[in-house]
Amino acid sequence: MSSVVRTRKSVVSILLGVQLSPVAGPDLSEEAASFPNLGIARHEQSLYNFTMIFHVTMEQSDGWFVVECPALPGCVSQGRDEKEALENIKEAIVGWLWAEDQKAASKVADADRIVVAV
């Protein structure tokens, strides 16, 4: 991201493009077609492709660019340059979200779990 403001501590918005695989489950195509105004997409459409925006902070320390996502406590990464640091924080954000979901899911009985894509 070449338009990063070069200050001691920069705040950067990053786009996090995530590709999720469709989850095995019932085909809801007919039900989705019954409610076109609710934004429910057919199973075969691109419901699983989306972009989330997170704000991160970036500062330079000892020759490294350190990036942190304040919205996700403890989600920190680094890189040798700005580009590498931003790529690494994207991976860290995905890992953080996955880990938090796994922790929460382990507390819910299998019969009560419902998986949704946002």
Side-chain angles (χ1 to χ4, degrees):
M1 188 170 208
S2 59
S3 63
V4 173
V5 177
R6 298 191 191 285
T7 62
R8 186 170 164 266
K9 191 168 189 177
S10 300
V11 176
V12 182
S13 294
I14 63 170
L15 296 176
L16 177 64
V18 179
Q19 295 281 107
L20 296 177
S21 300
V23 178
D27 182 6
L28 302 176
S29 298
E30 289 182 29
E31 290 84 354
S34 302
F35 302 100
N37 296 329
L38 293 180
I40 301 172
R42 291 182 178 269
H43 184 69
E44 63 272 4
Q45 291 177 340
S46 61
L47 174 66
Y48 302 102
N49 299 324
F50 63 94
T51 300
M52 297 179 71
I53 298 173
F54 288 91
H55 291 89
V56 298
T57 61
M58 180 184 298
E59 56 185 312
Q60 205 167 358
S61 176
D62 297 327
W64 290 86
F65 287 86
V66 180
V67 187
E68 182 175 1
C69 184
L72 309 175
C75 187
V76 180
S77 194
Q78 63 186 13
R80 287 181 220 100
D81 56 36
E82 292 173 358
K83 182 179 179 183
E84 182 181 39
L86 291 174
E87 288 302 316
N88 290 344
I89 195 67
K90 289 178 185 181
E91 186 176 322
I93 290 169
V94 171
W96 191 98
L97 292 171
W98 180 85
E100 288 299 312
D101 179 63
Q102 294 301 304
K103 285 193 288 188
S106 70
K107 298 175 185 175
V108 178
D110 286 343
D112 295 333
R113 282 191 217 170
I114 298 172
V115 178
V116 297
V118 293

